[in-house]
Amino acid sequence: MAKKSKKYRAALELLEAGKFYSAEEAVDLVKKTATAKFDETVEMHVRLGVDPKYADQQVRGAIVLPNGTGKTKRVLVFAKGDKVQEAEKAGADFVGAEELADKIKGGWFDFDVAVASPDMMGVVGKLGKLLGPRGLMPNPKLGTVTPDLAKAIAEQKAGKVEYRTDKAGNIHCPIGKASFEADKLKENYQTLLDTLIRVKPAAAKGQYVRSITLSATMGPGVPITV
């Protein structure tokens, strides 16, 4: 087992063993435990009472956090014709068609999210094995395959985040930076939690939200009362 750093151990001492905290207390503690030299990301981890191996129990979607994530996303857009100008005007970082697909096939992935107009899916579909494993494949359910490119780009730039259960039924999602004011982190936290509850699968049985933990990138997890 890797030895924990001095800063991590000091941060851990701020937590009371076995105690579960309110969301407000957890946010304050996470800000105190974020002692790295960079602005740490605050992450929310939620264990759900679902079995993702069944299609009707998978939880996946995307939301725009009211206060953003503190990260500026590099948005790539697959488009042709008039859509190119629309995407560029909306603030896309990269816009193109087959030439972008060729760059990706060559190993280029210097972007954070990919958006595509529906007529480009013939080109984009061939990149599934490259983009899919990296979570970069445009998807209509997530609003990244759409004729309204301007709206999709604006949402991504404003702090849209994707959430998806892993194989164990856990959601891992950033909700901001440690430098955020506590009330802004709490608002982002509540927005994500409310969304997860709203999209609860009808097939989910028993307790749905099993556990919630907040943590900074380099800090310990702070358990929240469910």
Side-chain angles (χ1 to χ4, degrees), residues 94-138:
F94 310 100
V95 186
E98 285 84 357
E99 70 277 14
L100 284 182
D102 289 339
K103 284 185 68 175
I104 290 169
K105 290 175 184 176
W108 177 76
F109 297 98
D110 292 337
F111 54 95
D112 302 301
V113 62
V115 175
S117 58
D119 62 325
M120 291 301 301
M121 290 310 293
V123 173
V124 179
K126 298 175 183 178
L127 302 172
K129 290 183 178 180
L130 296 172
L131 298 178
R134 293 176 170 82
L136 295 171
M137 187 67 181

Side-chain angles (χ1 to χ4, degrees), residues 193-212:
L193 181 58
D194 290 346
T195 299
L196 294 178
I197 292 172
R198 179 171 50 80
V199 300
K200 175 184 176 182
K205 304 299 181 183
Q207 185 176 344
Y208 177 56
V209 178
R210 301 287 178 86
S211 69
I212 307 173

Side-chain angles (χ1 to χ4, degrees), residues 61-116:
I63 59 168
V64 177
L65 294 175
N67 301 299
T69 62
K71 178 182 179 181
T72 301
K73 289 185 179 179
R74 296 166 296 174
V75 180
L76 177 149
V77 177
F78 290 99
K80 280 185 176 181
D82 295 340
K83 291 292 184 182
V84 171
Q85 187 175 1
E86 177 187 341
E88 290 175 341
K89 188 176 180 181
D93 298 278
F94 310 100
V95 186
E98 285 84 357
E99 70 277 14
L100 284 182
D102 289 339
K103 284 185 68 175
I104 290 169
K105 290 175 184 176
W108 177 76
F109 297 98
D110 292 337
F111 54 95
D112 302 301
V113 62
V115 175

Side-chain angles (χ1 to χ4, degrees), residues 17-49:
K19 180 177 178 179
F20 288 81
Y21 297 86
S22 68
E24 289 82 1
E25 291 173 326
V27 166
D28 288 339
L29 281 168
V30 166
K31 286 175 64 65
K32 289 178 182 177
T33 60
T35 56
K37 293 182 179 179
F38 61 93
D39 192 5
E40 296 181 53
T41 296
V42 177
E43 299 167 347
M44 182 171 170
H45 312 278
V46 185
R47 185 164 66 90
L48 298 177

